[in-house]
Amino acid sequence: MKISAVYIAKNEEKNIARSLDSLKDSVDEFILVDTGSTDKTVNIFESYDGKVFFMPWNNDFSAPRNMALSKATGDWIILLDADEYFSVETAKNLRMVIEENANADGLLLNITNIECATGKEKDCFYNLRAVRNQKGIAYKGRIHEELLLDLKPMNNLLRVAPEVLNIIHTGYTAEISVEKCKRNLEILQQEIAEGYNIEDLYTYLVECYDGVGDTANMLKYAWLDVEAGRRQTTYASRSYRKLINYYAIHGSIDERVALMEKAVADFPELPEFHAELGSCYGQNGYIKKAVLELKLAIKLFKSYNGIEPCLLDSENVLQMTKQISELELKIKAMATDFDNIYGILERGDLLKADSVVLSAYKNEIKKELAAELLVSIAIEAGDCELAYQRLSLLKELPESAYRLFLQARVFFMQKDYWQALTYLENAVKDEVISSASGQVQEKIYNLLGQCYRFYGYPDRAAECYYKAFEAVDNQELK
C-alpha cells in the first residue's frame, strides 16, 4: 500500500521538519502546495524528497488543498498542517492502522492543541486527517474547509483512539491566534457575501470574534449556533463551551442553569456538562439534583469514549466525589430542619421558616407539604405578590380542600373576591370538604362567609359561619 502525505504551507520553516520527521517512516510520498513562502520552507520540504507545487494565495484554503489532493498518487492520503505532527508514542502505528482499516473512506484522528507559551494542553478534538484516495474527494469552503466525497459528507469513517494515533498541534500563541482570527474573519465575511450558508459558519464566527475580543458578536453567534441544536460534526460543542465560560463569570445562576440544561440535553454523553450542571444546581439550592448530576458525570467519565472532547480528569473526579459527600450531609440537615418547621413557625420567625421550607421544596423533602407551607408563609407575611407567584406550586399537586382554600386566600388578599369565591365553592363540595380536618373546614367556611357578605348574601354568610362553628365543635369532640 502506498501512502501519501499532503500539505499546504507558507513560511513554515520552523515547523515543517518536525511534521515530516513524524511521518517519514510510514509515508511513501510527500506533497506540498506552497502559497508564497519567502523562507526555507520549500528547501526543507525538498530535502525529504518532497514534491513541491506553487499556487498564489487567494483567501481560499480549499483551492491549494484540492491541488495537493490532485497530485497525490498514494492509496491513502494523510492530511496535516505544517505545525502538526504525530506524537512519538503513536507515529509508528500509522501504517498499521491504515492497512487494518483500508476499506474505510477515512479516519477520524485525535488532535491535541498545545499552547506554545506554556507547553500545556489546551484541548483536543477529532478531525478527518486520513482518507482513502478515491475519485470525488474534494474540499469545499474558503475557510474551515470540509472534505467531501461527491459533494456529500463521508459516511464510512472510523475513529481511532488517541493512544493509538495522536496528532499534536503547536500553532497556538496569543499573538498568532489574534492575527489568524483577523484573517479568518475577513475570509468568513467574504464567504457570507458570496452567499455561503451563514448557519454553517456560526461556530467559526464564534471562534474568530472571541479571538479578536469582540464579545458582543461572539455571544450573538454562539447563541444562534446553540439555539440551532447540535450539529453533525466533530467538536460540535465549541459554541456551548464559549457560552459556559462567559456565563460562569458574567451570568446569573438562573442563566447558567438554563444554559447547562440545554447543553446536557444536546450532549447527554459529555461528563463535564453534567458536572457543570450539578455545580449550578448546587449553587441554586437544588442539592438533590446536584448530587444526581455529579454522580452521573463520574459514571460517564469512567466509560467515556465519545467523539467530543472530554475535559474532565481524575483530579476533577476526586473533587466531585468529596463534593457529593458534603452535599449529601446538607440534604440530611435540611430534612432535620424541616422536621422542626412548626416550632420555627410558632416562634414567628417567618424568614427562617421560609428559608427552611424553600430548601425542602427544592430538594423534594415532603414536597407537597413544603409547597403548601410556602404559599401559607407568604400569606402570613402579607406578601401578596409572592403568594400569587407560589400558587403555581399548588397547581402541580392533586386538588384538596386545603389547597383550594390557600388559592382562595391569595385571591382574597388581592381583593379578587369573585375568584376567591369560585375556589371556596369548589372546596365545600361534599366529596372535597369531607376529607378535610375540622380546622381546615373552619378556615374555609369563615372565608366563604366573608365573600358572601361582600356580595350581599347575609343569609349564606350566616350559614357559613354556623358551619365553621360546627367544624370547631366537631374537632374538639374528636
Side-chain angles (χ1 to χ4, degrees):
M1 176 183 288
K2 183 176 181 180
I3 300 175
S4 303
V6 301
Y7 294 82
I8 67 169
K10 178 181 178 180
N11 292 335
E12 291 284 0
E13 65 179 5
K14 294 180 180 179
N15 297 312
I16 193 69
R18 178 167 55 184
S19 184
L20 294 168
D21 282 336
S22 75
L23 289 173
K24 65 183 181 181
D25 293 333
S26 302
V27 169
D28 305 295
E29 178 183 57
F30 289 125
I31 303 291
L32 168 66
V33 174
D34 187 88
T35 59
S37 293
T38 56
D39 63 3
K40 297 179 182 179
T41 299
V42 170
N43 292 336
I44 294 171
F45 201 88
E46 288 178 335
S47 73
Y48 285 78
D49 294 327
K51 300 174 185 177
V52 181
F53 303 88
F54 299 92
M55 175 179 284
W57 176 247
N58 190 32
N59 278 356
D60 185 346
F61 282 93
S62 285
R65 291 201 189 280
N66 284 331
M67 182 180 185
L69 289 176
S70 72
K71 302 299 182 181
T73 61
D75 302 296
W76 272 72
I77 303 174
I78 308 302
L79 316 161
L80 283 189
D81 289 336
D83 57 0
E84 296 173 342
Y85 61 93
F86 282 88
S87 68
V88 173
E89 298 79 9
T90 67
K92 62 183 180 295
N93 300 327
L94 180 58
R95 177 171 288 275
M96 175 192 69
V97 170
I98 291 175
E99 289 176 347
E100 289 178 352
N101 299 283
N103 292 326
D105 285 330
L107 302 178
L108 296 169
L109 305 184
N110 186 74
I111 300 177
T112 301
N113 289 318
I114 302 296
E115 174 62 56
C116 289
T118 62
K120 291 182 179 180
E121 182 177 326
K122 188 172 182 288
D123 59 14
C124 58
F125 64 99
Y126 282 95
N127 207 345
L128 181 60
R129 291 309 181 90
V131 294
R132 184 155 52 90
N133 192 1
Q134 54 186 314
K135 184 179 179 181
I137 59 169
Y139 283 96
K140 179 185 176 184
R142 284 181 173 273
I143 190 168
H144 295 294
E145 55 284 3
E146 182 181 8
L147 186 56
L148 304 176
L149 176 60
D150 296 327
L151 301 178
K152 296 178 181 177
M154 295 184 186
N155 292 319
N156 186 21
L157 302 177
L158 297 177
R159 178 161 52 94
V160 180
E163 59 268 22
V164 178
L165 285 177
N166 187 34
I167 297 172
I168 309 297
H169 177 215
T170 60
Y172 279 97
T173 66
E175 296 80 9
I176 292 174
S177 292
V178 171
E179 290 307 311
K180 281 187 176 180
C181 286
K182 288 179 180 178
R183 177 203 66 191
N184 292 352
L185 188 57
E186 180 183 333
I187 300 173
L188 286 168
Q189 289 167 342
Q190 185 176 347
E191 278 197 312
I192 294 167
E194 292 171 352
Y196 200 95
N197 184 6
I198 191 172
E199 291 186 7
D200 293 336
L201 302 177
Y202 284 158
T203 302
Y204 310 122
L205 288 165
V206 170
E207 294 284 340
C208 290
Y209 280 120
D210 185 48
V212 300
D214 187 340
T215 303
N217 272 314
M218 182 275 286
L219 291 173
K220 172 186 173 180
Y221 288 105
W223 276 116
L224 286 170
D225 196 21
V226 167
E227 287 165 0
R230 181 173 184 165
R231 298 187 181 277
Q232 298 305 308
T233 182
T234 58
Y235 211 169
S237 61
R238 278 179 290 183
S239 290
Y240 295 76
R241 295 176 191 272
K242 292 291 185 184
L243 290 174
I244 290 166
N245 291 338
Y246 175 83
Y247 283 96
I249 300 171
H250 304 288
S252 69
I253 189 60
D254 289 338
E255 287 174 323
R256 291 175 63 202
V257 167
L259 172 60
M260 291 316 307
E261 287 178 340
K262 167 70 171 166
V264 163
D266 289 346
F267 296 86
E269 80 280 13
L270 268 180
E272 64 262 43
F273 280 8
H274 288 279
E276 181 67 17
L277 178 57
S279 176
C280 291
Y281 278 150
Q283 292 176 49
N284 208 20
Y286 290 91
I287 309 302
K288 183 177 179 180
K289 285 185 175 182
V291 169
L292 291 174
E293 290 297 329
L294 291 172
K295 286 182 175 180
L296 180 55
I298 292 173
K299 180 181 177 181
L300 291 171
F301 173 78
K302 290 178 178 178
S303 60
Y304 187 71
N305 190 32
I307 199 167
E308 286 291 316
C310 175
L311 303 184
L312 284 187
D313 56 30
S314 299
E315 185 176 340
N316 297 140
V317 171
L318 287 174
Q319 292 171 349
M320 286 191 290
T321 303
K322 181 181 178 182
Q323 188 179 4
I324 288 168
S325 298
E326 293 171 350
L327 292 175
E328 287 177 334
L329 289 175
K330 278 189 176 182
I331 293 174
K332 290 180 180 179
M334 287 176 186
T336 300
D337 287 344
F338 191 67
D339 287 341
N340 299 323
I341 187 59
Y342 291 108
I344 300 172
L345 287 169
E346 285 175 5
R347 294 196 301 270
D349 191 346
L350 293 182
L351 283 176
K352 171 72 171 176
D354 195 68
S355 175
V356 168
V357 176
L358 186 58
S359 293
Y361 179 82
K362 285 182 173 181
N363 293 284
E364 301 179 12
I365 300 169
K366 299 179 181 177
K367 191 172 182 178
E368 292 191 6
L369 174 59
E372 292 173 351
L373 285 170
L374 284 172
V375 178
S376 179
I377 290 169
I379 292 170
E380 185 70 20
D383 192 332
C384 188
E385 183 178 349
L386 180 60
Y388 182 75
Q389 289 173 0
R390 288 179 173 178
L391 286 184
S392 61
L393 306 181
L394 300 180
K395 291 175 181 177
E396 298 174 2
L397 306 178
E399 187 179 88
S400 73
Y402 183 59
R403 290 164 191 162
L404 289 168
F405 163 75
L406 288 174
Q407 292 173 85
R409 186 71 181 83
V410 172
F411 286 109
F412 193 87
M413 288 173 68
Q414 293 182 318
K415 298 182 180 180
D416 187 347
Y417 302 118
W418 182 257
Q419 191 68 27
L421 185 62
T422 301
Y423 278 101
L424 291 167
E425 287 182 336
N426 284 328
V428 297
K429 290 178 179 178
D430 289 343
E431 65 272 18
V432 180
I433 196 75
S434 60
S435 60
S437 68
Q439 188 178 21
V440 170
Q441 290 184 28
E442 179 201 6
K443 292 176 182 290
I444 291 170
Y445 283 120
N446 268 325
L447 188 58
L448 183 57
Q450 291 180 61
C451 288
Y452 281 141
R453 278 183 61 194
F454 178 81
Y455 281 109
Y457 296 107
D459 293 342
R460 290 187 185 181
E463 183 181 351
C464 287
Y465 293 142
Y466 179 74
K467 287 183 176 180
F469 180 76
E470 272 189 329
V472 173
D473 269 358
N474 290 335
Q475 184 71 23
E476 289 177 353
L477 285 172
K478 288 179 181 178

